[in-house]
Structure formats: C-alpha cells, structure tokens
Amino acid sequence: DTEIEVTGTLKGYTMLDRISAINCPVIFFRGEYDEVTMPQIEPAIKLVSQSKFYEFKKCSHSSNLESEV
C-alpha cells in the first residue's frame, strides 16, 4: 500500500494511453522505501520502449537527496 491518495482534478487521470508515444530514452527511478510502489510504476516502464529503471537502496521518495551515489 501507499500513503499517496490522489484527489481533485488529477483523481482518475492516467497518461498510460499516450506514454508509448515517447521516443527518447527515459529513466524511471524510485527509492527502496518510496511511496510510489512497483505496481504503480511498472506499467509505464513497460510501455516506454527506451526506458531504464533504477531503485535507490535505503532511500524513500527524495532519493536524489538521500542517496550517497
């Protein structure tokens, strides 16, 4: 489960029907303890043909600030 609950005008929004049109490299990343779960991000990773995925160990949602890498 996640702590994220989308409300307002973004509730129900999805971009998955258009994301496969991206034709440049995309990096998806999350922290090991991120609120964004793998079931939430996996569909996007699979739909972008030039995607790479990285998971930062011992990090949460602010992995760019928490990671020592």
Side-chain angles (χ1 to χ4, degrees):
D1 287 327
T2 181
E3 297 174 4
I4 296 175
E5 182 178 343
V6 180
T7 61
T9 58
L10 289 179
K11 187 170 187 157
Y13 174 80
T14 181
M15 44 101 189
L16 291 177
D17 58 336
R18 297 178 298 173
I19 198 169
S20 62
I22 296 174
N23 59 5
C24 63
V26 175
I27 298 174
F28 292 94
F29 63 92
R30 66 182 290 277
E32 179 179 14
Y33 308 116
D34 205 318
E35 293 90 355
V36 177
T37 64
M38 283 307 298
Q40 291 171 314
I41 198 171
E42 272 180 327
I45 294 168
K46 290 178 180 176
L47 288 170
V48 177
S49 63
Q50 297 182 62
S51 68
K52 294 207 182 271
F53 171 74
Y54 297 96
E55 182 173 86
F56 291 86
K57 301 296 180 192
K58 300 180 184 176
C59 293
S60 61
H61 194 67
S62 299
S63 55
N64 60 315
L65 301 174
E66 300 171 43
S67 178
E68 296 178 6
V69 176

